[in-house]
Amino acid sequence: MTSTAASPGPRVVIAGGGVAAIETLLALRALPGGAALTIAVVAPGAYLTYRPLAVAVPFGQSPARRYAIHGICRDFDATLRHDTLRGVDADRRVAITGRGERLSFDALVVATGARQHPPLERAHAFLADDSTSLRWLLPQLRRDVVRRVAFVVPGATGWTLPLYELALMTAAWARQLGRDDLELTLVTPEEMPLAVFHGDGSAAVAQLLRDAGIDIVTGTYARRYDGETLTMTPGDRTLAADRVIALPRLSGPAIDGLPCDRDGFVQADEHGCVPGVDGVFAIGDAATFPIKQGGLATQQADRVATRIVRARGAAVRDLSTRPVLRAILLTGEQPLYLRATISGGESVASTASRECLWWPPQKIAARHLAPYLADRVELDPARAHLNAVAPSLSGQPAVVHADPVDAGPELLGRDG
Ligand SMILES: Cc1cc2nc3c(=O)[nH]c(=O)nc-3n(C[C@H](O)[C@H](O)[C@H](O)COP(=O)(O)OP(=O)(O)OC[C@H]3O[C@@H](n4cnc5c(N)ncnc54)[C@H](O)[C@@H]3O)c2cc1C
C-alpha cells in the first residue's frame, strides 16, 4: 500500500531516530516554509540515545540518557512509524519499509546510522548502546586482575575520540587506586594522536597521553589477539596485553535502490545529496563521509534541511559546506575542548582549550538539538552526567575564547 498523506504539504520522510534524523526534523520546523511540510519519521527504536557519555558508564556513571522519540515527534508535529527503511524506489519516489509499507516522498533523508561489528576476536568491544559494556573494568583494576591494557582503534572509518577518553579515564582511575604498575597502550591506524584534530588539538592530546603515562602506537592496525598477545601490522610487532578494549568496526546500512560504497555506506556529496537519486539525501554515520561524528552529522542535517525548504521556494541561503568539528574530550579530570575546520574530509586548523569554545557546551554540538535538549533540564543528560565526570562543566562554563571569525562564544545557531 502506498500511503498518500492527507495533508497537502510536501512530504518529507526522515529515516532514523538518532541525532542526524532528529536534528533534521528540528531544523526543518525552524526554517521558513518548514511548518507546511508533512513529516514522517521512520525509526525502529523508541529512543534517541545520547551516546557520548557512554564512556563514563564503566567508571560508575549511570547508563546513557535516552529521549523518547515519540515525544520529540509530538513537539515538532511529525508522524512516527516504528519501522525501518529497507529500500527506495527512486523512480516512483517511494520509500519501502521493513514491514513492506510504501511511503511516497518529495524528499527522503536517510539517517539510519552505521552498523557495529566485533572488531577483533577475544577483544572487548566498547558498545555505546550497551550499558553493561566494560562494567567489569573497574572491579578488575581494583582487584589487580589486570596490569596491561591495550586500547585498539580497529579501522580508519569512524570516530576515535571515545577510545582516547576510555584510556585517559582508566589512567585517572588507576592513579586514584594507586595502581602505578598499570601499563596502558593505545594502538591506532591514525598517524598521530586523535589525528582528526591534527595540529594544536592533536599535540594537546599527545601531551595528555604522555602526562597520563599512556603509550601510543600510531600508524598501526591490530591484527590478532590470542588473549595474551596482540599482533600488529605492519611489521608483525607484538604487545603483551591482559585485556584489549576496542571500538567496533563500522559498516553502512546498504539500503536497496541507493548507491553505496563497498562497506555499505550510502553515497552522498558535500550537500548530502545522493548522486543520481533526485530528492534523496544521506547524512550522519550512514553516509560515506569518513568522519562519523554526531556534531558533523547535525551540520549535515542542517544543510539538507535548508536545501529541502529552498527547493520548495523558501528564501534561505545554503549553509557553508566547510563543517566545524567540535569535541569535548573527557579525561577523568578537567575536560579538553577541541575544535577544527574540515575541508575535503580533513581538518585544516585545530584548537585545544581548557575552556568551552561554543555554546551550549554539549558533547554533540548541534544547532537545534543541543538547545532543545538543554532547555529540558529534567531530560538533559549532559549536564547531569558531566557534573559527575567533569566537574568543571557544571553550571555556567567559563566560556570564552574568541572564535577565529568573531569575538565571543561561538553560538551554534550560526552558520558553519
Ligand atoms: C562511544 C561513542 C562516543 C561518541 N562521542 C561523541 C561525541 O563526544 N561527540 C560527537 O559529536 N559524536 C560522538 N560520537 C559519535 C556519534 O554518536 C555518532 O556520530 C552519531 O550518533 C551519528 O548519528 P546518526 O544519527 O547518523 O546515527 P545513529 O546515532 O547511529 O542513529 C541511527 C538511527 O537510525 C536507526 N536505524 C537504524 N537502521 C534503520 C533503518 N534501516 N531504518 C530506519 N532507522 C534505522 C537507529 O535505530 C537509530 O535511531 C560517539 C559515538 C560513540 C559510539
Coordinates of all heavy atoms in Angstrom, one line a residue, residues 161-223:
L161 N 37.7 9.4 19.2 CA 37.8 10.1 20.5 C 37.3 9.2 21.7 O 38.0 9.3 22.7 CB 37.0 11.4 20.4 CG 37.0 12.2 21.6 CD1 37.3 13.7 21.3 CD2 35.6 12.2 22.3
P162 N 36.2 8.4 21.6 CA 35.8 7.7 22.8 C 36.9 6.8 23.3 O 37.0 6.6 24.5 CB 34.6 6.9 22.3 CG 34.1 7.5 21.1 CD 35.3 8.2 20.5
L163 N 37.8 6.3 22.4 CA 38.8 5.3 22.9 C 39.9 6.1 23.7 O 40.4 5.6 24.7 CB 39.5 4.6 21.7 CG 40.2 3.3 22.1 CD1 39.1 2.3 22.5 CD2 41.1 2.8 21.0
Y164 N 40.2 7.3 23.2 CA 41.1 8.2 24.0 C 40.5 8.5 25.4 O 41.2 8.5 26.4 CB 41.4 9.5 23.2 CG 42.3 9.3 22.0 CD1 41.7 8.9 20.8 CD2 43.7 9.4 22.1 CE1 42.5 8.7 19.7 CE2 44.5 9.2 21.0 CZ 43.9 8.8 19.8 OH 44.7 8.6 18.7
E165 N 39.2 8.7 25.4 CA 38.6 9.0 26.7 C 38.7 7.8 27.6 O 39.0 8.0 28.8 CB 37.1 9.4 26.4 CG 36.9 10.7 25.7 CD 35.5 11.1 25.5 OE1 34.7 10.2 24.9 OE2 35.1 12.2 25.8
L166 N 38.4 6.6 27.1 CA 38.4 5.4 27.9 C 39.8 5.2 28.5 O 40.0 4.9 29.6 CB 38.0 4.2 27.1 CG 36.5 4.1 26.8 CD1 36.3 2.9 25.8 CD2 35.7 3.9 28.0
A167 N 40.9 5.4 27.6 CA 42.2 5.3 28.1 C 42.6 6.3 29.2 O 43.2 5.9 30.2 CB 43.2 5.4 26.9
L168 N 42.2 7.6 28.9 CA 42.6 8.6 29.9 C 41.8 8.4 31.2 O 42.3 8.6 32.3 CB 42.3 10.0 29.3 CG 43.3 10.4 28.2 CD1 42.7 11.6 27.3 CD2 44.6 10.9 28.8
M169 N 40.5 8.0 31.1 CA 39.8 7.8 32.3 C 40.2 6.6 33.1 O 40.2 6.6 34.3 CB 38.3 7.7 32.0 CG 37.7 9.1 31.5 SD 36.1 8.9 30.7 CE 35.1 9.2 32.1
T170 N 40.7 5.6 32.4 CA 41.3 4.4 33.0 C 42.5 4.8 33.8 O 42.8 4.5 34.9 CB 41.6 3.3 32.0 OG1 40.4 3.0 31.3 CG2 42.2 2.1 32.7
A171 N 43.4 5.7 33.1 CA 44.6 6.1 33.8 C 44.3 7.0 35.0 O 44.9 6.8 36.1 CB 45.4 6.9 32.8
A172 N 43.2 7.8 34.9 CA 42.9 8.6 36.1 C 42.4 7.8 37.2 O 42.8 8.0 38.4 CB 41.8 9.6 35.6
W173 N 41.6 6.7 36.9 CA 41.2 5.8 38.0 C 42.4 5.0 38.6 O 42.4 4.8 39.8 CB 40.2 4.8 37.4 CG 38.8 5.4 37.7 CD1 38.0 6.1 36.8 CD2 38.0 5.2 38.9 NE1 36.9 6.5 37.4 CE2 36.8 5.9 38.7 CE3 38.3 4.6 40.1 CZ2 35.8 6.0 39.7 CZ3 37.3 4.7 41.1 CH2 36.1 5.4 40.9
A174 N 43.3 4.6 37.7 CA 44.5 3.9 38.2 C 45.3 4.8 39.2 O 45.7 4.3 40.2 CB 45.3 3.5 37.0
R175 N 45.4 6.1 38.9 CA 46.1 7.0 39.8 C 45.4 7.0 41.1 O 46.0 6.9 42.2 CB 46.1 8.4 39.2 CG 47.2 8.5 38.1 CD 47.5 10.0 37.8 NE 46.4 10.7 37.3 CZ 46.0 10.7 36.0 NH1 46.7 10.0 35.1 NH2 45.0 11.4 35.6
Q176 N 44.0 7.1 41.0 CA 43.3 7.2 42.3 C 43.4 5.9 43.1 O 43.4 5.9 44.3 CB 41.8 7.4 42.0 CG 41.5 8.9 41.6 CD 40.0 9.1 41.6 OE1 39.2 8.4 42.2 NE2 39.6 10.1 40.8
L177 N 43.5 4.8 42.4 CA 43.6 3.5 43.1 C 45.0 3.2 43.5 O 45.3 2.1 44.1 CB 43.1 2.4 42.2 CG 41.6 2.4 41.8 CD1 41.3 1.3 40.7 CD2 40.8 2.1 43.0
G178 N 46.0 4.1 43.1 CA 47.4 3.8 43.5 C 48.0 2.7 42.6 O 49.0 2.1 43.0
R179 N 47.4 2.5 41.4 CA 47.9 1.4 40.6 C 49.0 1.9 39.6 O 48.8 2.1 38.4 CB 46.8 0.8 39.7 CG 45.8 -0.1 40.5 CD 46.3 -1.4 40.9 NE 47.1 -2.1 39.8 CZ 46.5 -3.0 39.0 NH1 45.3 -3.2 39.0 NH2 47.3 -3.6 38.1
D180 N 50.2 2.2 40.2 CA 51.2 2.8 39.3 C 51.9 1.7 38.5 O 52.8 2.0 37.7 CB 52.2 3.7 40.0 CG 52.7 3.0 41.3 OD1 52.5 1.8 41.4 OD2 53.3 3.7 42.1
D181 N 51.5 0.5 38.6 CA 52.1 -0.6 37.8 C 51.4 -0.8 36.5 O 51.8 -1.7 35.7 CB 52.1 -1.9 38.6 CG 50.7 -2.3 39.0 OD1 49.8 -1.4 39.2 OD2 50.4 -3.5 39.1
L182 N 50.3 -0.1 36.3 CA 49.4 -0.4 35.2 C 50.1 0.1 33.9 O 50.7 1.2 33.8 CB 48.1 0.4 35.3 CG 46.9 -0.2 34.7 CD1 46.5 -1.6 35.3 CD2 45.7 0.7 34.9
E183 N 50.1 -0.8 32.8 CA 50.6 -0.4 31.5 C 49.5 -0.2 30.5 O 48.8 -1.2 30.2 CB 51.6 -1.5 31.0 CG 52.8 -1.6 31.9 CD 53.7 -2.8 31.5 OE1 53.6 -3.2 30.3 OE2 54.5 -3.2 32.3
L184 N 49.3 1.0 30.1 CA 48.2 1.3 29.2 C 48.8 1.7 27.8 O 49.7 2.5 27.7 CB 47.3 2.4 29.7 CG 46.7 2.2 31.1 CD1 45.9 3.5 31.5 CD2 45.9 1.0 31.2
T185 N 48.3 1.1 26.7 CA 48.8 1.4 25.4 C 47.6 1.6 24.5 O 46.6 0.9 24.5 CB 49.6 0.2 24.8 OG1 50.6 -0.1 25.8 CG2 50.3 0.6 23.5
L186 N 47.7 2.6 23.6 CA 46.6 2.9 22.6 C 47.2 2.6 21.2 O 48.3 3.1 20.9 CB 46.1 4.3 22.8 CG 44.8 4.6 22.1 CD1 44.1 5.7 22.9 CD2 44.9 5.1 20.7
V187 N 46.6 1.7 20.5 CA 47.0 1.3 19.2 C 46.1 1.8 18.1 O 44.9 1.5 18.2 CB 47.1 -0.2 19.1 CG1 47.6 -0.7 17.7 CG2 48.0 -0.8 20.2
T188 N 46.6 2.6 17.2 CA 45.7 3.2 16.2 C 46.3 3.3 14.8 O 47.5 3.6 14.7 CB 45.2 4.6 16.7 OG1 44.4 5.2 15.7 CG2 46.4 5.5 17.0
P189 N 45.5 3.2 13.8 CA 46.0 3.4 12.4 C 46.2 4.9 12.2 O 46.9 5.3 11.2 CB 44.9 2.9 11.5 CG 43.7 2.6 12.3 CD 44.1 2.6 13.8
E190 N 45.8 5.8 13.0 CA 46.0 7.2 12.8 C 47.5 7.5 12.8 O 48.2 6.9 13.6 CB 45.3 8.0 13.9 CG 43.8 7.8 14.0 CD 43.3 8.3 15.4 OE1 43.5 7.7 16.4 OE2 42.6 9.4 15.4
E191 N 47.9 8.5 12.1 CA 49.3 8.9 12.0 C 49.8 9.7 13.2 O 51.0 9.8 13.4 CB 49.6 9.7 10.7 CG 49.5 8.8 9.4 CD 50.4 7.6 9.5 OE1 51.5 7.7 10.0 OE2 49.9 6.5 9.0
M192 N 48.8 10.2 14.0 CA 49.2 10.9 15.2 C 48.0 10.8 16.1 O 46.9 10.5 15.7 CB 49.5 12.4 14.9 CG 48.3 13.1 14.3 SD 48.7 14.7 13.7 CE 49.4 14.2 12.1
P193 N 48.2 11.2 17.4 CA 47.1 11.0 18.4 C 45.9 11.9 17.9 O 46.0 13.1 17.6 CB 47.7 11.6 19.7 CG 49.1 11.4 19.5 CD 49.4 11.6 18.1
L194 N 44.7 11.3 17.9 CA 43.4 11.9 17.5 C 43.7 12.8 16.3 O 43.5 14.0 16.3 CB 42.9 12.8 18.7 CG 41.4 13.0 18.7 CD1 40.6 11.8 18.6 CD2 40.9 13.8 19.9
A195 N 44.1 12.1 15.2 CA 44.6 12.8 14.0 C 43.6 13.7 13.4 O 44.0 14.7 12.7 CB 45.0 11.7 13.0
V196 N 42.3 13.5 13.6 CA 41.3 14.4 13.0 C 41.5 15.9 13.5 O 41.1 16.8 12.8 CB 39.9 13.8 13.3 CG1 39.4 14.1 14.7 CG2 38.9 14.4 12.3
F197 N 42.2 16.0 14.6 CA 42.5 17.4 15.2 C 43.9 17.7 14.9 O 44.6 18.3 15.8 CB 42.1 17.5 16.6 CG 40.6 17.5 16.9 CD1 39.9 16.4 17.3 CD2 39.9 18.6 16.7 CE1 38.6 16.4 17.5 CE2 38.5 18.7 16.9 CZ 37.9 17.5 17.3
H198 N 44.5 17.3 13.8 CA 45.9 17.4 13.7 C 46.3 18.9 13.8 O 45.6 19.8 13.3 CB 46.4 16.7 12.4 CG 46.1 17.5 11.1 ND1 46.9 18.5 10.7 CD2 45.2 17.3 10.2 CE1 46.4 19.0 9.6 NE2 45.4 18.2 9.2
G199 N 47.5 19.1 14.4 CA 47.9 20.5 14.7 C 47.8 20.6 16.2 O 48.1 19.7 17.0
D200 N 47.3 21.8 16.7 CA 47.3 22.1 18.1 C 46.5 21.0 18.9 O 46.8 20.7 20.0 CB 46.7 23.4 18.4 CG 47.7 24.5 17.9 OD1 48.8 24.2 17.5 OD2 47.3 25.7 17.9
G201 N 45.3 20.6 18.3 CA 44.5 19.7 19.0 C 45.2 18.4 19.3 O 45.2 17.8 20.4
S202 N 45.8 17.8 18.2 CA 46.5 16.5 18.4 C 47.6 16.6 19.3 O 47.9 15.7 20.2 CB 46.9 16.1 17.0 OG 47.7 14.9 17.1
A203 N 48.3 17.8 19.2 CA 49.5 18.0 20.1 C 49.1 18.0 21.6 O 49.7 17.4 22.5 CB 50.2 19.3 19.8
A204 N 47.9 18.6 21.9 CA 47.4 18.7 23.2 C 47.0 17.3 23.7 O 47.3 17.0 24.9 CB 46.2 19.6 23.3
V205 N 46.4 16.5 22.8 CA 46.1 15.1 23.2 C 47.3 14.3 23.5 O 47.4 13.5 24.5 CB 45.2 14.5 22.2 CG1 44.8 13.0 22.5 CG2 43.8 15.3 22.0
A206 N 48.3 14.5 22.6 CA 49.6 13.7 22.8 C 50.2 14.0 24.2 O 50.7 13.2 24.9 CB 50.6 14.1 21.7
Q207 N 50.1 15.3 24.6 CA 50.6 15.7 25.9 C 49.9 15.1 27.0 O 50.4 14.6 28.0 CB 50.6 17.3 26.0 CG 51.3 17.8 27.2 CD 52.8 17.5 27.3 OE1 53.5 17.7 26.3 NE2 53.2 16.9 28.4
L208 N 48.5 15.1 26.9 CA 47.7 14.4 27.9 C 48.0 12.9 28.1 O 48.1 12.4 29.2 CB 46.2 14.5 27.5 CG 45.4 15.8 27.7 CD1 44.0 15.7 27.2 CD2 45.5 16.2 29.2
L209 N 48.3 12.3 26.9 CA 48.6 10.8 27.0 C 50.0 10.7 27.7 O 50.1 9.8 28.6 CB 48.7 10.2 25.6 CG 47.4 10.2 24.8 CD1 47.6 9.7 23.4 CD2 46.3 9.2 25.5
R210 N 50.9 11.5 27.3 CA 52.2 11.4 28.0 C 52.1 11.6 29.5 O 52.6 10.9 30.3 CB 53.2 12.5 27.4 CG 54.0 12.0 26.2 CD 55.1 13.0 25.9 NE 54.7 14.3 25.6 CZ 54.3 14.7 24.3 NH1 54.3 13.8 23.4 NH2 53.9 15.9 24.1
D211 N 51.4 12.7 29.9 CA 51.2 13.0 31.3 C 50.5 11.9 32.0 O 50.8 11.6 33.2 CB 50.3 14.3 31.5 CG 51.1 15.5 31.0 OD1 52.3 15.4 30.7 OD2 50.4 16.6 30.8
A212 N 49.6 11.2 31.3 CA 48.9 10.1 32.0 C 49.7 8.7 31.9 O 49.2 7.7 32.5 CB 47.5 9.9 31.3
G213 N 50.8 8.8 31.3 CA 51.6 7.5 31.2 C 51.1 6.5 30.2 O 51.4 5.3 30.3
I214 N 50.3 7.0 29.2 CA 49.7 6.1 28.2 C 50.6 6.1 27.0 O 50.9 7.1 26.4 CB 48.3 6.5 27.8 CG1 47.4 6.5 29.1 CG2 47.7 5.6 26.7 CD1 46.1 7.2 28.8
D215 N 51.1 4.9 26.6 CA 51.9 4.8 25.4 C 50.9 4.8 24.2 O 49.8 4.2 24.2 CB 52.7 3.4 25.3 CG 53.8 3.5 26.3 OD1 54.3 4.6 26.6 OD2 54.2 2.4 26.8
I216 N 51.4 5.4 23.1 CA 50.6 5.3 21.9 C 51.4 4.7 20.7 O 52.5 5.1 20.5 CB 49.9 6.7 21.5 CG1 49.1 6.5 20.3 CG2 50.9 7.8 21.4 CD1 48.0 7.6 20.1
V217 N 50.8 3.8 20.0 CA 51.4 3.2 18.8 C 50.6 3.7 17.6 O 49.4 3.3 17.5 CB 51.4 1.7 18.9 CG1 52.1 1.1 17.7 CG2 52.0 1.2 20.2
T218 N 51.1 4.6 16.8 CA 50.3 5.1 15.7 C 50.7 4.4 14.4 O 51.6 3.6 14.3 CB 50.7 6.6 15.5 OG1 52.1 6.7 15.4 CG2 50.2 7.4 16.7
G219 N 49.9 4.7 13.3 CA 50.1 4.1 12.0 C 50.1 2.6 12.0 O 50.7 1.9 11.2
T220 N 49.3 2.0 12.9 CA 49.3 0.5 13.2 C 47.9 -0.1 13.3 O 47.1 0.5 14.0 CB 50.1 0.3 14.5 OG1 51.4 0.8 14.3 CG2 50.2 -1.2 14.8
Y221 N 47.7 -1.2 12.7 CA 46.5 -2.0 12.8 C 46.7 -3.2 13.7 O 47.7 -3.9 13.6 CB 46.0 -2.5 11.5 CG 45.5 -1.4 10.6 CD1 46.4 -0.7 9.8 CD2 44.1 -1.1 10.5 CE1 45.9 0.3 8.9 CE2 43.7 -0.1 9.7 CZ 44.5 0.6 8.9 OH 44.1 1.6 8.1
A222 N 45.8 -3.4 14.7 CA 45.9 -4.7 15.4 C 45.3 -5.8 14.6 O 44.2 -5.6 14.0 CB 45.0 -4.5 16.7
R223 N 46.0 -6.9 14.4 CA 45.6 -7.9 13.5 C 45.0 -9.1 14.2 O 44.0 -9.7 13.8 CB 46.8 -8.4 12.7 CG 46.4 -8.8 11.3 CD 47.5 -9.2 10.5 NE 48.3 -10.3 11.1 CZ 49.6 -10.4 11.0 NH1 50.3 -9.5 10.3 NH2 50.2 -11.4 11.6

